[in-house]
Amino acid sequence: MTGGTGVAGGTGIAATGTAFLLAAAPAGRGRAMDATSVLPALAAVPPGVLTGTSTATVVELADPLDPQTVLTRLRAAAASPGPLVLCLAGQLHLDRRQQLPHLALARTTPATLRYTALPWHWLAGELAARAPGTTTVVADFAADAAVWERLATTPDLLHLGPGPTLYGRVTPAPRRGEPMAPDYLRSWAELWRSGARLPHATLHAESAAHAASTAPESFLLAPAPAPAPAAEQDPHPAILAAAMAGRHGEAAAVAAAWESEALRRHGPRSAEAVHWTEVRADLARLAGEPARSCELWLTAAEARLALRQRTDDPDVEGAVDRAHHQWEQIGDRARARALGPLLVSLRQRVPGRQPGALAALTRRMAD
């Protein structure tokens, strides 16, 4: 836990800013993200660059143990009148009793979550009194299964109110193996260190595209984009151009951002959200990821059926046909076996217009 002051040249802004760096994750087997690994990269950025001011104070918390300690330091930082930038890395868990997200700390376990983790609404409460436009939060989180599921149905689960501006990436926590890295937040640090004074929205887009190569499944957090002129509203040509040029991570990140916006505006049970799931499915195909493409087409087909589209609707049949085709391209037999029953279940409801498709699938499953 350290504090410091630095001066960044060239900003010309007289106000003193505050950078609040918090990286935390449970110790032991509960650690799904190596959160503190990003702190050296952030510490290497001149403090004034972090906040966009001529002088700045840095508060750094690495694997704190007690949520009350974090709250005290956060409250002091939030009381400063100048610009405040919070960089957060760690794990989100859902309190099953109150259904509220919490940021895990070093001593957090599933049984002690309510007493050893930082409630997300504490963060929102401390930032609520700050003047609009003075607070930016940049977050890189791994989410447990309950939080990940809630994000699909409640896209504003992590909303901080009208004042703070939130940019971030949330990914599903890995079930086993090595903890994931906070690549999204590390990319922000590297871009800051490069000397480029980019808008936060650009830093978010660049970092999301970079991080998509290591964690393609993610939920992006960002302010709603400003309405664009009619001629600029269609993002599909740019997404396709990026994919055809081999920039698959960039294409996937942009499509995921549009899907997040569709979820925010229209909800998960909407034609708009389903459309962007299908775009991501096709991008996975172009990236040579048939298992991921199959999984997304299955999701899209189920979503269309949930919207009460008929089983012989061309869009429903098309989604199942594409899922079937991508399933046949999967080289990993274990992954194919895992997706096979889902595809069979859909084929039974949506036989499609190719005679014998279900029978062929059943035979292939038996091989």
Side-chain angles (χ1 to χ4, degrees), residues 207 218 323 356:
S207 298
S218 60

Side-chain angles (χ1 to χ4, degrees), residues 19 48 54 74 94 103 113 122 145 163 170 181 220 227 244 247 258 277 294 296 300 314 330 337 365:
S54 57
L74 175 62
L94 196 69
L103 178 60
L113 178 69
W122 284 12
V170 184
L220 300 177
M244 297 305 292
R247 302 194 308 275
W258 279 88
T277 300
C294 173
L296 287 167
I330 299 173
R337 282 195 299 271
M365 284 284 292

Side-chain angles (χ1 to χ4, degrees), residues 215-261:
E217 187 177 18
S218 60
F219 187 94
L220 300 177
L221 306 164
E232 299 176 6
Q233 282 184 341
D234 184 4
H236 297 81
I239 292 172
L240 180 60
M244 297 305 292
R247 302 194 308 275
H248 299 295
E250 174 186 334
V254 175
W258 279 88
E259 183 180 34
S260 295
E261 178 62 11

Side-chain angles (χ1 to χ4, degrees), residues 141-302:
F141 294 138
D144 73 4
V147 170
W148 185 250
E149 183 179 345
R150 280 291 302 278
L151 281 171
T153 58
T154 313
D156 61 350
L157 180 68
L158 302 178
H159 185 55
L160 290 171
T165 302
L166 173 62
Y167 296 95
R169 177 193 73 157
V170 184
T171 61
R175 296 185 178 182
R176 58 179 66 88
E178 291 295 317
M180 61 184 297
D183 293 325
Y184 167 82
L185 188 52
R186 183 179 287 117
S187 181
W188 274 72
E190 291 170 353
L191 289 167
W192 271 323
R193 287 185 64 194
S194 72
R197 298 299 182 265
L198 300 173
H200 286 163
T202 302
L203 290 168
H204 167 73
E206 292 280 345
S207 298
H210 172 78
S213 61
T214 57
E217 187 177 18
S218 60
F219 187 94
L220 300 177
L221 306 164
E232 299 176 6
Q233 282 184 341
D234 184 4
H236 297 81
I239 292 172
L240 180 60
M244 297 305 292
R247 302 194 308 275
H248 299 295
E250 174 186 334
V254 175
W258 279 88
E259 183 180 34
S260 295
E261 178 62 11
L263 287 167
R264 190 188 70 82
R265 290 190 177 186
H266 306 287
R269 293 184 177 275
S270 65
E272 291 83 359
V274 176
H275 166 75
W276 284 106
T277 300
E278 293 177 338
V279 170
R280 291 173 55 218
D282 208 39
L283 291 176
R285 174 186 66 85
L286 293 172
E289 299 175 359
R292 181 63 180 146
S293 181
C294 173
E295 188 175 43
L296 287 167
W297 279 119
L298 290 172
T299 299
E302 291 283 10

Side-chain angles (χ1 to χ4, degrees), residues 11-24:
T11 62
I13 299 174
T16 297
T18 301
F20 187 90
L21 315 180
L22 170 60

